[in-house]
Amino acid sequence: MKSNKTVEEINKKIRQGDAVVITAEEVSKMALTLSPEEIINEVDVVTTATFGPMCSSGAFLNFGHSDPPIRMEEISLNNVPASGGLAAVDTFIGATETAKDDPYYGGAHVIYDLIDGKDVLLKARAKGTDCYPRKEIDTYINKKEINEMILFNPRNAYQNYPAATNTTSSTKYTYMGILLPGLGNVTYSTSGELSPLLNDPELRTIGIGTKILLGGAEGFVAWNGTQFNTVRPKNKFGIPTINAATLAVIGNMKDMSTEFIRPAVYEKYGVSIFVGIGIPIPLLNKDIVRTVSIRNEQIETTICDYGRNGHPALGKTNYQQLQSGYIELGGERIQTAPLSSLYKARIIAEDLKNRIQRKKFFLTEPVQLFPKNTSLNGLKIRGKDYE
Amino acid sequence: MSKKYILKFRPSAVEEPVTYCLIKEYDIRVNILRAEIYPGKSGIMLVELDANSIKLKQAISFLQHKDIEVIPFEKRIHLEIEKCVHCGACTAVCCTSALSILNEKSELVFTPDKCVACGLCVKACPLQLFQLQFEE
Ligand code: SF4
Ligand code: SF4
């Protein structure tokens, strides 16, 4: 048996019904007793998944033209503002946008209602032009009637994320959940050894054009995600110990399921959206076997104080500890809780596994790999540059 | 057996030493989990009563006789579990482990018996799946 495979060879095995597919949790367990050589001889594909709140998400919609037509300039969907800056009847609705009259309803809910097949109220205003004379429209739209609904999320599937706690004396309401005062709890938000980018830390198989499961349907990696950072400190297992790489993902919302896209509202923070993502990793060589074999105790993250400005780091922990229900920090035992659903992530990883085994999902090679050595800029507050 | 009840007092009953009677006359272990008095002096209390079932029955009829409304607590907290995504955000604030995902499947398990009605999960659930009624 040779220990290097190509994506094409693996796809051939899938077509013949011979491919062996297991989840990233299963391979991590397997690696306790088998060597990378033995694993690559037995297994062809490992499935990874995550289901967590991902604020940087949204949808492009095309409504079709009315008669007489309108060049929509001010648009709302169920009273949630959408972009009026995209041609006549295209729009983008951001998941975190909030309804004008209801802080518990936002863009995420519009996306959910559209996937669910519900009627959504579209209101638009315009100045009226010779070619688009209509000045206003009030109507209902749904999944069946509109031309396209495309989920496009500029930043999803973070490769690792800090765990959050709060050293101050007041409760903090954050996107990391409710943080109780005086180190009252710790929250974290990745699926650990099942998480996509933690299984491919060097981004060797996941790149632009990789086919994935997005919201329960086939989708693609469109680009590197925003705030893509590949120069974060890494531990001895090659894992960045704080948020690093990200993915921009795209998929046909008409095919998606409300099981894997859910609106979320965090108290005193606002609207977000749970997104389910599954990514297959082809076992092309022993080195990739080694990276997918990573275990929770080897994946470390930084504990940050979300009670204070700049979220200063307080220490490190790993996902085995975080998933055990408590961690020790400075001699104290602190209760931990996740914000992303391991339960749902497992369903997605199993679903992807079944699709590949039933020859419904084939693997892709990236059209282009992600950039290397990219870091982040902060936002400076400054006057206009000297001419 | 130990059970949780919400006790609602009319203004006339607020002055009565009911907890004393429960302990003294009915041999009941009373654990007051939460108590509030509203303007006009009507009151509401969340208590855990621990005794054998005969004593418990007698105590409840004693309370009702004193014009105190006795409502079994389970009826007052509700989780729409069928919509739950098992994210775990509610478990971050539950200090009695009434809410826990520490099991094989990482599935949310709600044990109403352990709940002390702090109300924090109501705010913590990003899907707003909890309803807790502890007021007049
Ligand atoms: S009300 Fe408080 S004790 Fe009861 S389940 Fe919610 S968080 Fe836990
Ligand atoms: S926070 Fe809400 S959705 Fe998440 S586990 Fe708790 S009840 Fe379920």
Side-chain angles (χ1 to χ4, degrees):
Chain A
M1 209 54 189
K2 58 181 199 157
S3 59
N4 279 332
K5 300 177 197 172
T6 64
V7 169
E8 208 175 305
E9 286 166 351
I10 293 175
N11 277 339
K12 203 170 145 200
K13 284 179 107 178
I14 297 174
R15 219 167 281 122
Q16 292 165 342
D18 294 336
V20 176
V21 190
I22 63 175
T23 70
E25 285 186 312
E26 288 165 342
V27 78
S28 298
K29 229 172 252 141
M30 197 181 243
L32 291 172
T33 52
L34 297 183
S35 69
E37 247 133 341
E38 291 168 307
I39 292 175
I40 203 166
N41 285 341
E42 263 181 49
V43 184
D44 302 296
V45 184
V46 161
T47 61
T48 66
T50 179
F51 181 92
M54 306 190 192
C55 289
S56 184
S57 302
F60 286 103
L61 311 173
N62 177 288
F63 304 119
H65 287 288
S66 58
D67 185 20
I70 176 170
R71 181 178 179 273
M72 299 180 183
E73 285 160 5
E74 221 177 89
I75 306 175
S76 72
L77 291 161
N78 280 352
N79 242 344
V80 180
S83 169
L86 268 183
V89 294
D90 283 321
T91 193
F92 181 80
I93 181 152
T96 64
E97 191 75 59
T98 307
K100 294 168 203 162
D101 52 355
D102 180 2
Y104 286 90
Y105 191 93
H109 300 80
V110 172
I111 289 169
Y112 177 89
D113 284 345
L114 283 172
I115 294 174
D116 205 20
K118 289 209 181 82
D119 271 352
V120 167
L121 176 64
L122 163 67
K123 283 191 189 180
R125 303 285 173 269
K127 61 179 178 290
T129 69
D130 286 347
C131 42
Y132 293 105
R134 185 187 289 274
K135 287 187 176 155
E136 58 177 35
I137 194 165
D138 272 37
T139 184
Y140 284 90
I141 57 156
N142 67 33
K143 182 179 181 167
K144 285 207 192 97
E145 290 164 357
I146 66 175
N147 290 317
E148 285 86 15
M149 40 192 248
I150 306 161
L151 194 74
F152 179 73
N153 303 346
R155 185 175 64 261
N156 277 183
Y158 247 119
Q159 183 180 38
N160 217 346
Y161 212 80
T165 191
N166 171 17
T167 60
T168 71
S169 56
S170 59
T171 301
K172 299 290 176 197
Y173 296 87
T174 73
Y175 64 83
M176 292 299 284
I178 299 181
L179 298 172
L180 302 172
L183 295 170
N185 56 4
V186 169
T187 58
Y188 63 96
S189 190
T190 91
S191 49
E193 65 188 25
L194 192 56
S195 180
L197 298 188
L198 291 171
N199 280 281
D200 187 7
E202 300 290 333
L203 304 163
R204 278 184 271 209
T205 69
I206 302 172
I208 296 169
T210 298
K211 191 158 71 168
I212 63 172
L213 276 188
L214 176 61
E218 278 186 19
F220 292 91
V221 173
W223 206 252
N224 55 283
T226 55
Q227 294 177 22
F228 188 80
N229 189 336
T230 58
V231 294
R232 292 293 211 178
K234 292 185 175 160
N235 72 4
K236 63 176 174 195
F237 303 104
I239 297 287
T241 52
I242 197 157
N243 47 337
T246 61
L247 299 178
V249 296
I250 191 163
N252 184 359
M253 232 166 85
K254 288 197 178 184
D255 295 336
M256 290 182 191
S257 147
T258 53
E259 274 304 305
F260 302 109
I261 295 282
R262 279 295 169 86
V265 183
Y266 289 93
E267 183 78 6
K268 296 186 188 169
Y269 168 75
V271 180
S272 185
I273 190 166
F274 279 102
V275 179
I277 293 179
I279 305 186
I281 296 181
L283 300 191
L284 303 178
N285 55 53
K286 280 183 286 181
D287 215 38
I288 291 172
V289 175
R290 232 171 264 128
T291 63
V292 295
S293 301
I294 194 90
R295 294 191 310 276
N296 281 328
E297 62 265 39
Q298 299 168 325
I299 307 172
E300 287 173 291
T301 192
T302 309
I303 308 164
C304 291
D305 184 359
Y306 272 62
R308 298 189 194 274
N309 218 354
H311 304 168
L314 300 176
K316 285 219 174 67
T317 182
N318 66 51
Y319 284 94
Q320 187 184 48
Q321 283 165 11
L322 286 167
Q323 288 184 7
S324 77
Y326 73 93
I327 60 164
E328 304 260 352
L329 185 65
E332 275 196 71
R333 192 184 146 110
I334 311 173
Q335 183 176 334
T336 62
L339 301 168
S340 74
S341 173
L342 189 54
Y343 176 91
K344 283 269 190 188
R346 284 179 179 146
I347 293 175
I348 296 166
E350 283 294 328
D351 179 21
L352 182 53
K353 178 168 133 178
N354 288 334
R355 286 184 196 218
I356 298 170
Q357 284 167 339
R358 282 187 281 114
K359 310 175 197 179
K360 296 260 159 63
F361 191 110
F362 290 88
L363 307 195
T364 50
E365 236 169 308
V367 178
Q368 186 176 307
L369 290 173
F370 290 137
K372 301 234 185 288
N373 299 318
T374 58
S375 59
L376 286 192
N377 292 331
L379 177 61
K380 284 192 207 91
I381 299 168
R382 61 172 181 84
K384 204 175 172 191
D385 249 352
Y386 230 66
E387 307 277 0
Chain B
M1 68 196 264
S2 123
K3 281 196 79 175
K4 282 194 199 105
Y5 296 93
I6 288 174
L7 308 183
K8 279 188 168 185
F9 299 75
R10 297 263 159 79
S12 59
V14 167
E15 312 281 323
E16 298 259 356
V18 283
T19 36
Y20 175 79
C21 293
L22 287 178
I23 299 166
K24 187 94 172 116
E25 318 264 322
Y26 296 92
D27 193 21
I28 290 192
R29 293 178 56 191
V30 183
N31 189 6
I32 301 174
L33 300 167
R34 202 167 154 184
E36 268 162 45
I37 306 265
Y38 295 102
K41 275 212 169 166
S42 59
I44 188 158
M45 219 187 224
L46 174 67
V47 293
E48 190 169 10
L49 304 181
D50 193 355
N52 69 43
S53 58
I54 298 165
K55 286 264 164 61
L56 207 54
K57 233 187 212 155
Q58 289 172 342
I60 286 163
S61 66
F62 157 77
L63 290 169
Q64 282 163 341
H65 192 73
K66 289 276 176 201
D67 216 10
I68 294 166
E69 206 184 325
V70 184
I71 310 156
F73 181 62
E74 293 86 333
K75 288 192 184 141
R76 304 303 295 260
I77 183 143
H78 182 64
L79 162 62
E80 291 174 83
I81 189 88
E82 64 290 345
K83 291 187 188 160
C84 173
V85 296
H86 310 276
C87 66
C90 56
T91 69
V93 294
C94 184
C95 30
T96 66
S97 17
L99 295 163
S100 174
I101 52 147
L102 298 177
N103 52 64
E104 193 65 27
K105 285 174 82 181
S106 294
E107 188 177 18
L108 181 74
V109 175
F110 177 41
T111 318
D113 267 356
K114 292 189 187 164
C115 172
V116 294
C118 71
L120 278 172
C121 56
V122 179
K123 289 181 178 170
C125 175
L127 273 60
Q128 287 77 47
L129 300 183
F130 290 93
Q131 275 177 326
L132 175 64
Q133 291 150 3
F134 186 75
E135 55 210 358
E136 267 188 314

